[in-house]
Amino acid sequence: MLALAYCDAFRQEPRKVLTAIKWRILGKRLRARGQLAPLLHLSPYAYRLWIARRERIRHHAPLGQLAEPEILALIDAMGDVDANHLAQTREMLRQQGIPSVVVGPPPHTSCADVAASMPRDAASWLLLMQPGDVLSHGAIDQYRVAIANNQAAVLYADDDLIGPGTQRGEPHFKPGWNAPLFEHFDYITGSCIVRARRKDLLRVTGGVTWASDLVAGILATDPLPPCHLPAVLHHRRLRPSPRLPAMPLKREAGLPSVTVIVPTRNRVDLLRPCLQGLAATRYSRLDIIVVDNGSDDPATLAYLDSLDRASHQVLRHDGPFNYPAINNRAVRNAQGELLCLLNNDIEIIDPEWLATMATSALRRDVGAVGARLLYPDGRIQHAGVVLGIGGAAAHAHRLLHPDETGYFSRHNLPQFVSAVTAACLVVDRAKFVAAGMLDEVAFPVAFNDVDLCLRLNQRGWQSFYEPRATLIHHESVSRGHDRDPVGAARLERELAALRQRWGTDRMVDPFHHPELSRESERFAIAL
């Protein structure tokens, strides 16, 4: 079956497959796997192979060791219902010993009727399903184990789709609880169980959205985040799609002052359009610090001297390039309540980008906010950072075009992430200082932004990816890539420091999934 997946990949992208083979022959295993993983993921044989392998290692907790809370299945029959699909789901539940109620218009049961049958002061576990959906073998056992081991009122699992002939495909290996993502993409309803009280059911209107309304209402009142079971427990006929485009951001009135910090060295051809973009940015309380790291180009020096000192502060910072030292020095001179770290090779294409990022940065639960960054050809350069890729960290969805579906359109949706790039990052100044600022010793060039974000996360200020702010990044044009021996050795030291401090060679990113490849930025099935 793996050979068939390789053949599919070769038919679709022969040049990319041959390139991956070349890297494998040259001993670049990680690069070869990173190239192949998203290509294999596109083949229908990839998931079939994954299923076959998982079936061989599947195990379940012994029934005698499980708590046995009663679980009632509510089958949503509000829309057009296929009688055969409804019968199939009810029979499957009967075989697994789960009583079921069909919720819908007469002659079916209403939400109020279900509420009336529930104990007045006790909660009941409800399994929400659609006609035609089935559970995997042992799904109820796994839910009961989860009920026994945590107190959350919502437990959700991964799912896939049932195609013609009951063929399974399109698995959704879901992230851990991600509240802002859920606002745009209900990835829970239809593949979860909920602990509900009578009042929870009476609160929903009983319309076509009763199931999602019930889940949302319980999530809004439960003090604990929902628990994710990282296993494909639901096989579904249909599932909701993300709401695109993302809902417009409701901006705060009177946004706070922002200091934008732009490190630079020579390359006035990059710096000038970057600062022109800042001049065109619609933000009333904005000042700019340009940190010159030893420019010696006459044209650049003349341009720096020509900047209006009423809105631009120019700091001279000589010596070797040390990104944290450059920015930390500027922060000590900053007056803004918010900080914006901005590379000089960023091209601003939307005058509202900063107001969007600043609004998200004001959330109490948010630390660093990162924009969606595109390469000049329009493909994604940054859509959040995933930990563990390549044993370190990598930019999610890299090289995907924004118009592509990608992995459930995650690249187009605001969401929590583990880290964001400092190429364009907005953060509350007080939070930045409280987290210890950027590490000038362990991460002078690479991974300093990841390290900062993880320290902010530890304090309860989660990193946030904001695709409603989109800019163009001419990545590493001004500084170059570390391909020389000295640069490669320095990068290896920083990689070792990241692994030692944060365990990125062992961890699974909570917003990624253990069944997704650690070699691919594109959320591909791990094979």
Side-chain angles (χ1 to χ4, degrees), residues 27-35 389-391 499 518-519:
K28 305 288 187 179
R29 294 188 177 188
L30 183 62
R31 187 173 296 183
R33 290 172 179 171
Q35 181 94 10
I389 303 299
R499 289 171 172 170
R518 292 175 63 86
E519 281 82 40

Side-chain angles (χ1 to χ4, degrees), residues 88-128:
Q88 177 188 16
T89 298
R90 299 203 75 176
E91 175 59 20
M92 178 275 303
L93 291 167
R94 186 192 66 78
Q95 291 178 6
Q96 296 206 23
I98 302 299
S100 63
V101 172
V102 180
V103 176
H108 300 307
T109 305
S110 70
C111 290
D113 293 335
V114 175
S117 67
M118 294 171 62
R120 180 174 294 277
D121 298 319
S124 300
W125 283 101
L126 305 178
L127 170 67
L128 309 179

Side-chain angles (χ1 to χ4, degrees), residues 53-91:
R53 289 179 174 177
R54 295 302 296 174
E55 290 294 329
R56 289 199 297 270
I57 63 174
R58 173 189 286 172
H59 60 86
H60 302 296
L63 287 174
Q65 298 178 13
L66 296 175
E68 298 257 355
E70 183 177 348
I71 297 174
L72 173 66
L74 302 186
I75 305 174
D76 184 357
M78 282 295 184
D80 294 331
V81 177
D82 183 304
N84 291 329
H85 286 166
L86 179 58
Q88 177 188 16
T89 298
R90 299 203 75 176
E91 175 59 20

Side-chain angles (χ1 to χ4, degrees), residues 370-441:
R372 178 171 63 184
L373 302 180
L374 307 180
Y375 287 112
D377 67 3
R379 293 182 298 170
I380 288 173
Q381 187 265 334
H382 170 265
V385 171
V386 178
L387 304 179
I389 303 299
H395 289 185
H397 316 291
R398 194 174 69 88
L399 300 179
L400 192 69
H401 195 278
D403 290 339
E404 294 181 72
T405 301
Y407 198 74
F408 297 92
S409 297
R410 289 273 295 273
H411 57 292
N412 287 323
L413 299 174
Q415 62 200 274
F416 285 144
V417 290
S418 287
V420 294
T421 179
C424 180
L425 180 154
V426 174
V427 62
D428 182 285
R429 187 177 188 274
K431 294 176 182 177
F432 180 85
V433 173
M437 306 176 72
L438 293 166
D439 189 327
E440 303 176 17
V441 178

Side-chain angles (χ1 to χ4, degrees), residues 5-41:
Y6 271 98
C7 289
D8 270 357
F10 185 80
R11 279 194 295 268
Q12 295 183 57
E13 297 283 357
R15 181 176 297 180
K16 291 181 179 179
V17 172
L18 292 174
T19 300
I21 293 172
K22 179 194 77 172
W23 290 126
R24 180 66 181 84
I25 293 171
L26 293 174
K28 305 288 187 179
R29 294 188 177 188
L30 183 62
R31 187 173 296 183
R33 290 172 179 171
Q35 181 94 10
L36 277 172
L39 301 177
L40 296 175
H41 174 84

Side-chain angles (χ1 to χ4, degrees), residues 6 26 31 35 66 85 180 239 258 310 315 326 341 344 354:
Y6 271 98
L26 293 174
R31 187 173 296 183
Q35 181 94 10
L66 296 175
H85 286 166
R239 60 185 169 205
V258 177
L315 295 179
I326 290 170
L341 310 187
N344 68 340
L354 185 55

